[in-house]
Amino acid sequence: SLIFKAWQASQPSPGAGKKWVRSLNIAGLLFAWFLLLAGFGAGWGCFDRGREGVHVVVFLAVTLFVPWLVLLAGLTAWFFRPAQVGLIAPLLKKLATPFAGEKGREAAARIEGNPELAKALGWRTAALAQNAAMDFHLGALLSLSTMVFFRRVGFFWETTTDTAMQKTLETAVKLLSSPWASFAPQFVPNVAETRRGAGWQGGGEGWIGFLLLALVVWGVAPRVLLQLFAKVREWLALSSPAFQSPAHRKL
């Protein structure tokens, strides 16, 4: 153990910039795990134990529509405050601060004071945020798969009016299934037949494939594309000529 401690002491300590980047990665990992569990809980919470079924309208709202509203709010915030790049960036920076150490915090202060550096950092936090959001949808996918394989669960929808909710849901299903409806019509559920009435005894299996594909196509895939976009923008910011000054290279 003495030799190992001596070897550790002989290793050069990471620079301030590397410490800050490492702390951001730790914060992003913690946030991603949190949203993975949140996505699993959100999906599992849609299961009605008394009825042994999942209300598909609630499931879609919680696992798809609400996250997309959050994304739109983040894009709106970025439009008015480009340096923030969304809503999650300030939270990730605060979460990273305890892991950064004094030198890392000093580096963060210098980064925030430089427009070029702040832009690159903003895109880095945006990529981490999209990775965490992707994990939310993966958690919902995991919960849905768990319910299907390990429980007797049906899928239904209900409403107090005769046609209003049905027409809205049919429109939503048509829109969400448009990428695969032409070659996989078996994954487009029959909305009218899955309405829960007085004699409902379970069923609605046609929703299973639809919900899984909807989470992949409209949940996971867009987040992957946005994450790649943010990484490309970060690379462009780091490789721009304005970033190649001696002070920047030193930092």
Side-chain angles (χ1 to χ4, degrees), residues 141-201:
L141 268 170
L142 180 61
S143 69
L144 180 61
S145 303
T146 302
M147 285 188 287
V148 169
F149 286 108
F150 296 102
R151 298 190 70 94
R152 179 183 176 275
V153 57
F155 296 85
F156 67 93
W157 63 276
E158 57 186 352
T159 180
T160 56
T161 61
D162 291 335
T163 59
M165 177 59 74
Q166 180 174 330
K167 290 181 179 179
T168 302
L169 188 55
E170 285 175 344
T171 302
V173 167
K174 184 178 181 180
L175 174 64
L176 293 176
S177 63
S178 57
W180 66 83
S182 60
F183 62 87
Q186 67 272 24
F187 295 129
V188 182
N190 189 313
V191 174
E193 292 181 359
T194 55
R195 178 178 178 180
R196 185 182 185 276
W200 186 80
Q201 294 296 326

Side-chain angles (χ1 to χ4, degrees), residues 92 189 229 231 235 238:
L92 283 175
F229 174 76
K231 287 184 176 181
W235 178 80
L238 292 173

